[in-house]
Amino acid sequence: MLSAFAPVDVALSCLLLMCLIGCGTTRDHQATEQLLLSDAVDRSVSTIDFRPLSGEKVFLDTSYLRSVKSDSFVNADYVTSALRQQIMAAGCLMQDSSKDADIVIEARIGTLGADDHRVTFGVPENNMIGSAATLLPGAPSVPQVPEIALARRDAREGAAKIAAFAYDRETRKAIWQSGISQSRSTARDTWVMGVGPFQAGSIRSETRLAGSSLRKFGRRNTGSPPNSFDRPPVDYTAETRFDEGWPVLENELGGGRGMIPGTGLVPGDELPPMIAREVDLESETTTR
């Protein structure tokens, strides 16, 4: 005969098992979301090559950026500043008024947001035992069984899509367009037997356990000397020195890079097209 207290015993056994397993909880994801959005914007902007407009007086028209509304800290102002940095690094002469410029650059945002999903390996939170206990006369109420997970992963992904084009201020004729620059950023939190979160993803330079460093990954050097342009490319995510507006890629002794690789790329990522193209050209020249 089934005891009326069997469901209670099962519930207590589950609670005891949970006490023997580690537990980790992340309370808020506001900083993570901001990093996801800003990293996605940085990746998109870093692939836009404004060097075809180098040396020209340009004005950045942000009319279609200001209309983007966001409750997040990362908004149209951040995108505007990122574009201005990339434009000036390409050697363009930024003007505060369109009347002082020869070329107008118009930019727009197609996407700026983040999604998340969760995968659990184990028993999800449920009230099956409590429901079964109600079928037995005189059985006490059984609380809802919490989630019992052998492993769990929370994955978040940020996305940004940015484009720009340029036209002559007086004739209104098209001069240049960037094409669509679309990118994504990731953040992954993993728990194993309740221990975690193990934090990884493109927004982090290393794997961390609840904020503590575990393993650090190397970064790829994205700097390269010019071939297709007189002006060399500048890594958007790198610390770069300029001399009279020209990027300094050699140190004072005449060797090495003056551009310190940034964190825009992680192992396995593709190089930005403008840099990858010139790296390929340099490799062909070297083999010859």
Side-chain angles (χ1 to χ4, degrees):
M1 180 177 180
L2 181 63
S3 172
F5 296 96
V8 179
D9 296 336
V10 174
L12 291 176
S13 299
C14 293
L15 292 176
L16 178 61
L17 178 62
M18 292 184 62
C19 292
L20 298 177
I21 299 177
C23 181
T25 303
T26 300
R27 295 295 184 183
D28 200 344
H29 301 292
Q30 183 176 1
T32 300
E33 181 179 354
Q34 292 177 5
L35 283 172
L36 283 171
L37 295 179
S38 60
D39 186 54
V41 170
D42 292 341
R43 288 168 180 269
S44 288
V45 172
S46 66
T47 62
I48 301 179
D49 189 0
F50 289 98
R51 286 180 296 166
L53 307 178
S54 179
E56 301 288 349
K57 294 182 178 180
V58 302
F59 170 75
L60 178 61
D61 184 358
T62 60
S63 301
Y64 296 97
L65 296 179
R66 293 194 300 267
S67 60
V68 177
K69 305 298 183 181
S70 174
D71 297 331
S72 173
F73 180 79
V74 181
N75 50 28
D77 291 338
Y78 186 86
V79 179
T80 300
S81 179
L83 287 170
R84 287 175 61 88
Q85 174 186 329
Q86 187 76 336
I87 291 171
M88 296 183 70
C92 301
L93 306 178
M94 184 72 69
Q95 306 297 310
D96 294 330
S97 172
S98 60
K99 297 180 181 179
D100 300 327
D102 298 324
I103 296 175
V104 176
I105 300 176
E106 184 175 302
R108 65 185 183 274
I109 303 177
T111 301
L112 183 58
D115 296 323
D116 64 87
H117 62 271
R118 171 179 293 182
V119 178
T120 301
F121 299 94
V123 180
E125 180 179 335
N126 65 84
N127 195 30
M128 294 178 60
I129 298 179
S131 299
T134 59
L135 301 177
L136 301 175
S141 60
V142 179
Q144 180 170 297
V145 176
E147 177 185 276
I148 304 175
L150 298 177
R152 190 184 78 197
R153 167 170 288 184
D154 289 345
R156 296 172 182 81
E157 181 175 299
K161 183 169 73 172
I162 301 174
F165 65 94
Y167 59 89
D168 187 279
R169 181 180 64 85
E170 294 184 353
T171 65
R172 319 299 284 186
K173 291 183 178 180
I175 296 177
W176 167 87
Q177 67 180 32
S178 67
I180 301 298
S181 178
Q182 182 173 324
S183 65
R184 64 183 180 87
S185 57
T186 59
R188 298 186 300 273
D189 294 344
T190 304
W191 287 261
V192 179
M193 297 295 289
V195 179
F198 294 93
Q199 300 170 303
S202 66
I203 65 172
R204 301 183 175 100
S205 60
E206 57 189 2
T207 301
R208 306 175 70 87
L209 172 57
S212 301
S213 301
L214 285 180
R215 180 182 177 188
K216 188 171 183 179
F217 295 95
R219 293 294 178 178
R220 183 182 300 174
N221 190 333
T222 57
S224 62
N227 270 326
S228 57
F229 287 94
D230 291 335
R231 185 183 183 88
V234 175
D235 182 359
Y236 169 85
T237 65
E239 177 185 347
T240 308
R241 296 186 296 273
F242 292 85
D243 183 9
E244 298 294 331
W246 193 266
V248 179
L249 301 184
E250 301 290 336
N251 59 32
E252 296 179 355
L253 299 179
R257 301 293 183 190
M259 180 167 58
I260 303 175
T263 58
L265 296 174
V266 297
D269 279 356
E270 296 182 357
L271 289 170
M274 67 174 179
I275 296 178
R277 181 173 57 252
E278 297 185 4
V279 170
D280 293 338
L281 291 175
E282 181 186 16
S283 299
E284 293 178 3
T285 303
T286 303
T287 54
R288 293 174 187 172

